[in-house]
């Protein structure tokens, strides 16, 4: 719905980094952010809530960011990774 804050799910095994980035994003974007230090808990959150943006650490123990993206993609059928565009010279 228009006017509602965007919801972000951020996953990283570095808890200090989660806290710093969360505080910065909330202050600048006025969004709602859920954080998880484990991919397993993040997946549970994704099953319970709808998110507008996912931010994953790709190097985590057990389940890496790519696998988490794949698993959540089964729940969110329309998500695609953001890719850097390359400009032709």
């Amino acid at each position: 719905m228009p006017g509602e804050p965007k919801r972000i799910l951020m996953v990283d095994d570095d808890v200090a980094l989660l806290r710093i980035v969360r505080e910065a994003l909330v202050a600048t974007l006025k969004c709602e952010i859920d954080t998880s230090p484990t991919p397993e808990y993040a997946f549970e959150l994704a099953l319970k809530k709808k998110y507008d943006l996912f931010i994953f650490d790709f190097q985590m123990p057990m389940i890496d960011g790519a696998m988490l993206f794949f698993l959540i993609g089964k729940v969110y059928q329309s998500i695609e990774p953001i890719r850097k565009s390359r400009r032709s010279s």
Side-chain angles (χ1 to χ4, degrees):
M1 297 180 96
E4 288 187 19
K6 298 295 183 190
R7 296 186 60 85
I8 298 172
L9 176 58
M10 187 169 52
V11 186
D12 197 311
D13 54 339
D14 183 339
V15 179
L17 179 65
L18 281 177
R19 186 177 314 117
I20 291 167
V21 174
R22 181 185 183 284
E23 289 175 10
L25 289 174
V26 167
T28 57
L29 300 178
K30 309 293 188 249
C31 55
E32 295 179 17
I33 300 179
D34 290 331
T35 61
S36 173
T38 67
E40 297 84 3
Y41 181 63
F43 185 71
E44 289 180 34
L45 288 172
L47 292 174
K48 294 176 184 177
K49 299 178 182 180
K50 183 178 183 314
Y51 292 96
D52 300 297
L53 178 67
F54 297 95
I55 302 173
F56 302 147
D57 177 3
F58 266 64
Q59 294 182 352
M60 295 181 285
M62 302 295 289
I63 299 174
D64 65 13
M67 179 57 75
L68 180 59
F69 178 79
F70 174 78
L71 294 171
I72 290 178
K74 296 293 185 183
V75 177
Y76 289 76
Q77 294 295 320
S78 64
I79 64 171
E80 291 183 21
I82 298 173
R83 297 187 178 129
K84 291 184 179 180
S85 61
R86 293 186 178 182
R87 293 184 179 189
S88 301
S89 344

